[in-house]
Amino acid sequence: MVTELGLLYIGMVTLLFFFWAYGIVSFVLDLKNVIIPKGRQFLRGRRRIKEQKKQEEEREERERQLY
């Protein structure tokens, strides 16, 4: 027979497992819906700035060659 202490232990472990699983699922969803899109947006912005800088340097170089 299972004692009251054993039932309490099983109940508490089950409760902690649900919070643990909820935390993992929440973390994965945050990665998928927040962190990864923000990282992609950041990288797109950096590439765009780098391309604009390169175009500006090419334009300045062309202007220098004209004079």
Side-chain angles (χ1 to χ4, degrees):
M1 295 286 267
V2 179
T3 64
E4 291 178 9
L5 186 60
L7 287 174
L8 180 64
Y9 178 78
I10 291 171
M12 295 304 289
V13 168
T14 304
L15 182 68
L16 289 175
F17 171 77
F18 284 119
F19 284 116
W20 176 75
Y22 175 78
I24 290 174
V25 170
S26 178
F27 177 71
V28 169
L29 291 175
D30 280 347
L31 278 176
K32 178 180 155 256
N33 296 325
V34 176
I35 297 172
I36 292 174
K38 293 285 184 185
R40 287 179 180 165
Q41 181 182 7
F42 174 75
L43 290 176
R44 278 195 308 265
R46 299 247 325 176
R47 286 187 204 120
R48 187 177 302 126
I49 290 170
K50 189 184 289 186
E51 289 173 3
Q52 289 174 350
K53 185 177 178 183
K54 184 177 177 182
Q55 290 173 355
E56 181 70 24
E57 289 173 355
E58 289 174 355
R59 185 184 62 80
E60 289 175 359
E61 182 64 32
R62 279 185 266 135
E63 287 179 357
R64 275 191 237 121
Q65 289 177 357
L66 289 175
Y67 292 112

